[in-house]
Coordinates of all heavy atoms in Angstrom, one line a residue:
M448 N -1.5 -2.2 16.3 CA -2.0 -3.5 16.8 C -0.9 -4.3 17.3 O -0.4 -5.2 16.5 CB -2.8 -4.1 15.7 CG -3.8 -3.3 15.0 SD -4.8 -4.1 13.7 CE -3.6 -4.4 12.4
D449 N -0.5 -4.2 18.5 CA 0.7 -4.9 19.0 C 0.4 -5.9 20.0 O -0.6 -5.8 20.7 CB 1.7 -3.9 19.5 CG 3.1 -4.4 19.6 OD1 3.4 -5.4 18.9 OD2 4.0 -3.9 20.4
G450 N 1.2 -6.9 20.1 CA 1.1 -7.9 21.2 C 0.6 -9.3 20.8 O 0.4 -10.2 21.6
N451 N 0.5 -9.5 19.5 CA 0.0 -10.8 19.0 C 1.0 -11.9 19.4 O 0.6 -13.0 19.8 CB -0.1 -10.8 17.5 CG -1.2 -9.9 16.9 OD1 -2.0 -9.4 17.7 ND2 -1.2 -9.7 15.6
G452 N 2.3 -11.6 19.2 CA 3.3 -12.7 19.5 C 3.3 -13.0 21.0 O 3.3 -14.2 21.3
R453 N 3.3 -12.0 21.8 CA 3.3 -12.3 23.3 C 2.0 -13.0 23.7 O 2.0 -13.9 24.6 CB 3.5 -11.0 24.1 CG 4.9 -10.6 24.1 CD 5.1 -9.1 24.5 NE 4.7 -8.2 23.5 CZ 4.4 -6.9 23.6 NH1 4.4 -6.4 24.8 NH2 4.1 -6.2 22.6
R462 N 3.8 -18.0 17.3 CA 3.4 -16.6 17.2 C 2.3 -16.3 16.1 O 1.5 -15.5 16.3 CB 4.7 -15.8 16.7 CG 5.8 -15.7 17.8 CD 7.0 -14.9 17.3 NE 6.6 -13.6 16.8 CZ 6.5 -12.5 17.5 NH1 6.8 -12.6 18.8 NH2 6.1 -11.4 17.0
L463 N 2.4 -17.2 15.1 CA 1.4 -17.0 14.0 C 0.0 -17.2 14.5 O -1.0 -16.5 14.0 CB 1.7 -18.0 12.8 CG 1.2 -17.5 11.5 CD1 1.7 -16.1 11.1 CD2 1.6 -18.5 10.4
H466 N -1.2 -13.9 15.5 CA -1.7 -13.1 14.3 C -3.0 -13.5 13.8 O -3.9 -12.7 13.5 CB -0.6 -13.1 13.2 CG 0.7 -12.7 13.6 ND1 0.9 -11.5 14.3 CD2 2.0 -13.2 13.4 CE1 2.2 -11.3 14.5 NE2 2.9 -12.3 14.0
A492 N -0.8 -2.7 10.4 CA -0.8 -4.1 10.3 C 0.6 -4.7 10.0 O 0.9 -5.8 10.4 CB -1.7 -4.5 9.2
F493 N 1.5 -3.9 9.3 CA 2.8 -4.4 9.0 C 3.7 -3.2 8.7 O 3.4 -2.4 7.8 CB 2.7 -5.3 7.7 CG 3.9 -6.2 7.5 CD1 4.1 -7.4 8.2 CD2 4.9 -5.8 6.6 CE1 5.2 -8.2 8.0 CE2 6.1 -6.5 6.4 CZ 6.2 -7.8 7.1
S494 N 4.8 -3.1 9.4 CA 5.7 -2.0 9.3 C 6.8 -2.3 8.3 O 7.1 -3.4 7.9 CB 6.3 -1.6 10.6 OG 7.3 -2.5 11.0
S495 N 7.5 -1.2 7.8 CA 8.6 -1.4 6.9 C 9.7 -2.2 7.6 O 10.5 -2.9 6.9 CB 9.1 -0.1 6.4 OG 9.3 0.9 7.4
E496 N 9.7 -2.1 8.9 CA 10.8 -2.9 9.7 C 10.4 -4.3 9.9 O 11.2 -5.2 10.2 CB 11.0 -2.2 11.0 CG 11.8 -0.8 10.9 CD 10.9 0.3 10.3 OE1 9.7 0.3 10.5 OE2 11.5 1.2 9.7
N497 N 9.1 -4.6 9.8 CA 8.6 -6.0 10.1 C 9.1 -7.0 9.0 O 9.1 -8.2 9.2 CB 7.1 -6.1 10.2 CG 6.5 -5.5 11.4 OD1 5.4 -4.9 11.4 ND2 7.2 -5.6 12.5
W498 N 9.6 -6.5 7.9 CA 10.3 -7.4 6.9 C 11.5 -8.1 7.5 O 11.9 -9.1 6.9 CB 10.7 -6.6 5.6 CG 9.6 -6.1 4.8 CD1 9.2 -4.8 4.6 CD2 8.6 -6.8 4.0 NE1 8.1 -4.7 3.8 CE2 7.7 -5.9 3.4 CE3 8.4 -8.2 3.8 CZ2 6.7 -6.3 2.6 CZ3 7.3 -8.6 3.0 CH2 6.5 -7.6 2.4
K499 N 12.0 -7.6 8.6 CA 13.2 -8.2 9.2 C 12.9 -9.4 10.0 O 13.7 -10.1 10.5 CB 13.9 -7.2 10.1 CG 14.5 -6.0 9.4 CD 15.0 -5.0 10.4 CE 15.2 -3.6 9.9 NZ 15.1 -2.6 10.9
R500 N 11.6 -9.7 10.2 CA 11.2 -10.9 11.0 C 11.5 -12.2 10.2 O 11.7 -12.2 9.0 CB 9.7 -10.8 11.3 CG 9.4 -9.7 12.2 CD 8.0 -9.7 12.8 NE 7.8 -8.6 13.7 CZ 6.9 -8.6 14.6 NH1 6.0 -9.5 14.7 NH2 6.8 -7.5 15.4
P501 N 11.5 -13.3 10.9 CA 11.8 -14.6 10.2 C 10.8 -14.8 9.0 O 9.6 -14.4 9.1 CB 11.5 -15.7 11.3 CG 11.6 -14.9 12.6 CD 11.2 -13.5 12.3
A502 N 11.4 -15.3 7.9 CA 10.6 -15.5 6.7 C 9.3 -16.2 6.9 O 8.3 -15.8 6.3 CB 11.5 -16.2 5.6
S503 N 9.3 -17.2 7.8 CA 8.1 -17.9 8.0 C 7.0 -17.1 8.6 O 5.8 -17.2 8.2 CB 8.3 -19.2 8.9 OG 8.9 -18.7 10.1
E504 N 7.4 -16.2 9.5 CA 6.4 -15.3 10.1 C 5.8 -14.3 9.1 O 4.6 -14.0 9.0 CB 6.9 -14.6 11.3 CG 5.9 -13.7 12.0 CD 6.3 -13.2 13.4 OE1 7.2 -13.7 14.0 OE2 5.7 -12.2 13.8
V505 N 6.8 -13.8 8.3 CA 6.4 -12.8 7.2 C 5.4 -13.4 6.3 O 4.3 -12.9 5.9 CB 7.6 -12.2 6.5 CG1 7.2 -11.4 5.3 CG2 8.4 -11.3 7.5
S506 N 5.7 -14.6 5.8 CA 4.9 -15.3 4.8 C 3.5 -15.6 5.4 O 2.5 -15.5 4.8 CB 5.5 -16.4 4.1 OG 5.7 -17.5 4.9
L508 N 2.0 -14.0 7.8 CA 1.3 -12.7 7.9 C 0.7 -12.4 6.5 O -0.5 -11.9 6.4 CB 2.2 -11.6 8.4 CG 2.4 -11.6 9.9 CD1 3.6 -10.7 10.3 CD2 1.1 -11.0 10.6
R617 N -2.3 2.3 21.2 CA -1.3 1.2 21.0 C -1.7 0.1 22.0 O -1.7 0.3 23.2 CB 0.1 1.7 21.2 CG 1.1 0.5 21.0 CD 2.5 0.9 20.9 NE 3.3 -0.2 20.5 CZ 4.4 -0.2 19.7 NH1 4.8 0.9 19.2 NH2 5.0 -1.3 19.4
R623 N 5.7 3.6 22.6 CA 6.5 4.1 21.4 C 5.6 4.1 20.2 O 4.6 3.4 20.1 CB 7.8 3.4 21.2 CG 7.6 1.9 21.0 CD 9.0 1.2 20.7 NE 8.9 -0.2 20.7 CZ 9.3 -1.1 21.7 NH1 9.8 -0.6 22.8 NH2 9.1 -2.4 21.6

Side-chain angles (χ1 to χ4, degrees):
M448 309 185 289
D449 198 21
N451 293 350
R453 280 164 285 165
R462 292 178 55 86
L463 205 55
H466 298 313
F493 194 85
S494 75
S495 46
E496 288 72 30
N497 288 147
W498 292 111
K499 296 176 198 154
R500 292 193 178 196
S503 58
E504 183 167 340
V505 170
S506 71
L508 279 163
R617 182 167 188 146
R623 56 177 174 255

